[in-house]
Amino acid sequence: EVQLVQSGAEVKKPGESLKISCKGSGYSFSTYWIGWVRQMPGKGLEWMGIIYPGDSDTRYSPSFQGQVTISADKSINTAYLQWSTLKASDTAIYYCATSRVVTEMDYWGQGTLVSVSS
Amino acid sequence: QSALTQPASVSGSPGQSITISCNGTSSDIGGYNYVSWYQQHPGKVPKLMLYDVSKRPSGVSIRFSGSKSGSTASLTISGLQAEDEADYYCSSYRSRSSTTYVLFGGGTKLTVL
């Protein structure tokens, strides 16, 4: 059974850094893309970017390029989403999801709530 | 980056059919057959309902179907059921200025009357 387990909720202050994780199991982690999706409170889904753990090929949405960093460690079947300087507007639920290809997201993690407030 | 355009809401009665549209451009929907649709119930994780315009993942009801004409994709739900009440999002592969990525629509709230 394919499973993606995300790290727990985070409460941070503006200006702080953060790295959240997504651990995959039940499939060949290195040969599936893992993408990240943002959902701000009461809003829709936003595609942030995606990584292929096998060779670390990474694609970003222009809206998120330079704002976040996506990475993966295939030795521990884990993908990451990180910020160097959080803003209040980063408050959202962040989902990871697997893709056989870049264009769809088949299996989803449970989501990580990130709250940024002074 | 502007999202794909969906109606904010649609509604229908049980047993009826509804269609949700998703308008894009020649750089996304109009240029590629890589349209997906996701269902999200309140407080729940999104679920892939259709991919490659009209293909259904295993386990998705045949009541869900998809199509595309030009730069507009459509999701049709037939035999509407109460459990179909949810938010629906389209997505498409986009290639613009040598950058390729995926784009979501703004979402459509489906109400089953």
Side-chain angles (χ1 to χ4, degrees):
Chain A
E1 178 194 6
V2 175
Q3 278 197 318
L4 293 176
V5 179
Q6 298 185 230
S7 50
E10 301 275 359
V11 179
K12 308 291 281 186
K13 296 186 185 309
E16 292 185 333
S17 62
L18 176 64
K19 191 174 189 177
I20 62 174
S21 66
C22 171
K23 184 173 177 62
S25 62
Y27 71 101
S28 177
F29 183 81
S30 294
T31 60
Y32 273 58
W33 294 84
I34 287 193
W36 289 93
V37 174
R38 182 175 79 175
Q39 188 165 38
M40 299 174 74
K43 302 299 184 182
L45 305 176
E46 299 174 271
W47 193 90
M48 302 177 71
I50 202 164
I51 187 166
Y52 189 78
D55 62 7
S56 295
D57 182 6
T58 309
R59 321 277 177 88
Y60 290 95
S61 163
S63 297
F64 292 94
Q65 178 82 50
Q67 307 304 307
V68 297
T69 301
I70 293 171
S71 60
D73 184 342
K74 61 185 179 182
S75 70
I76 55 172
N77 289 3
T78 302
Y80 302 97
L81 177 65
Q82 68 180 88
W83 296 259
S84 58
T85 307
L86 285 163
K87 299 173 285 193
S89 57
D90 292 318
T91 294
I93 296 173
Y94 293 87
Y95 295 102
C96 65
T98 66
S99 301
R100 297 175 294 110
V101 294
V102 170
T103 53
E104 70 221 32
M105 292 176 151
D106 309 85
Y107 298 91
W108 292 64
Q110 83 276 19
T112 295
L113 175 62
V114 174
S115 299
V116 184
S117 174
S118 55
Chain B
Q1 301 301 309
S2 55
L4 304 172
T5 303
Q6 299 181 231
S9 62
V10 298
S11 63
S13 299
Q16 288 186 331
S17 293
I18 63 94
T19 295
I20 299 172
S21 62
C22 175
N23 295 317
T25 71
S26 58
S27 297
D28 38 72
I29 294 175
Y32 307 92
N33 290 323
Y34 294 135
V35 177
S36 298
W37 289 89
Y38 299 85
Q39 176 192 64
Q40 187 181 33
H41 288 106
K44 300 298 186 182
V45 175
K47 176 185 177 183
L48 179 66
M49 304 301 286
L50 295 170
Y51 65 98
D52 292 352
V53 177
S54 60
K55 296 177 182 177
R56 279 186 304 275
S58 175
V60 172
S61 171
I62 61 172
R63 298 185 299 106
F64 291 83
S65 62
S67 63
K68 189 187 90 165
S69 177
S71 299
T72 298
S74 298
L75 166 70
T76 297
I77 308 175
S78 59
L80 210 55
Q81 300 179 359
E83 68 205 48
D84 299 331
E85 184 163 294
D87 293 324
Y88 291 85
Y89 297 90
C90 61
S91 75
S92 175
Y93 179 82
R94 170 179 279 188
S95 180
R96 181 176 287 181
S97 303
S98 74
T99 300
T100 60
Y101 54 100
V102 172
L103 199 62
F104 278 106
T108 297
K109 181 177 178 58
L110 169 61
T111 301
V112 180
L113 303 170

